[in-house]
Amino acid sequence: MRQRLAIVLKLTNQQQLIITGELPEAIANKLLIGMEEDWTRQKHEQALYAIAGGATAAFSAVVCDAQIVAAVAVGLSRDLVHTVISQSIKGTATMLQSGMHPAMLKDQGTSPEGCTIGGLIILEDGAVRCHLGRALREAATLACLMETTDHVNYSRK
């Protein structure tokens, strides 16, 4: 199973390997070094395709869209908010790629009695973290099942 995607792997502090286009089996195998049994490698390869090939971008787009809609609802311009949120996501990605742990990034963006921590409490109350995790696991599971099952979504509950 091949999908169109782009992956950036950090090899050293100065080097990056950029993979674009189809992800051939040889490259997928390099990404999955450390898997000892062929069936395990294949199972994880499909999960990697699901995560890198669409799920992460799609889920992130849903979060961005929700933020844009909410900002418009409080009176901000859609074009302005789209630009601001896009730049914020770009900056967030840069910090994550530099090695910053997501929890550290989240903590650095909050302050006591601040607006961000208030919003984070709402996200936690709504189990957003749990739902995003379950959604990603479901995408990876479906990717694995697609190898052996026709119309895999028809059988899912």
Side-chain angles (χ1 to χ4, degrees):
M1 176 177 172
R2 292 181 179 194
Q3 294 187 6
R4 303 273 312 155
L5 54 85
I7 297 176
V8 177
L9 296 175
K10 195 168 192 176
L11 300 176
T12 68
N13 288 337
Q14 291 80 29
Q15 297 177 319
Q16 291 182 336
L17 170 63
I18 301 174
I19 304 166
T20 58
E22 287 191 337
L23 186 63
E25 186 176 334
I27 293 174
N29 287 338
K30 287 180 184 177
L31 292 173
L32 299 166
I33 290 173
M35 303 293 178
E36 296 189 14
E37 298 181 34
D38 287 342
W39 68 270
T40 305
R41 179 180 11 253
Q42 183 175 0
K43 180 171 71 173
H44 286 89
E45 181 179 329
Q46 300 311 317
L48 176 65
Y49 284 132
I51 293 165
T56 300
F59 299 166
S60 297
V62 168
V63 170
C64 290
D65 188 50
Q67 291 174 316
I68 291 168
V69 169
V72 170
V74 299
L76 298 173
S77 155
R78 181 178 298 276
D79 290 339
L80 172 65
V81 174
H82 183 272
T83 300
V84 169
I85 289 174
S86 298
Q87 287 300 313
S88 180
I89 295 299
K90 185 177 180 180
T92 300
T94 299
M95 288 185 273
L96 291 171
Q97 287 176 332
S98 76
M100 181 177 276
H101 191 279
M104 173 85 65
L105 180 57
K106 175 191 57 109
D107 289 347
Q108 287 184 356
T110 61
S111 57
E113 297 185 23
C115 55
T116 302
I117 195 68
L120 286 170
I121 289 170
I122 297 297
L123 291 175
E124 293 296 342
D125 186 51
V128 170
R129 181 190 315 251
C130 175
H131 290 297
L132 285 171
R134 288 179 60 206
L136 194 59
R137 283 194 338 248
E138 180 69 5
T141 298
L142 289 172
C144 294
L145 290 173
M146 285 178 182
E147 290 292 306
T148 60
T149 307
D150 288 334
H151 306 291
V152 68
N153 282 313
Y154 293 168
S155 64
R156 303 292 289 171
K157 293 182 181 180

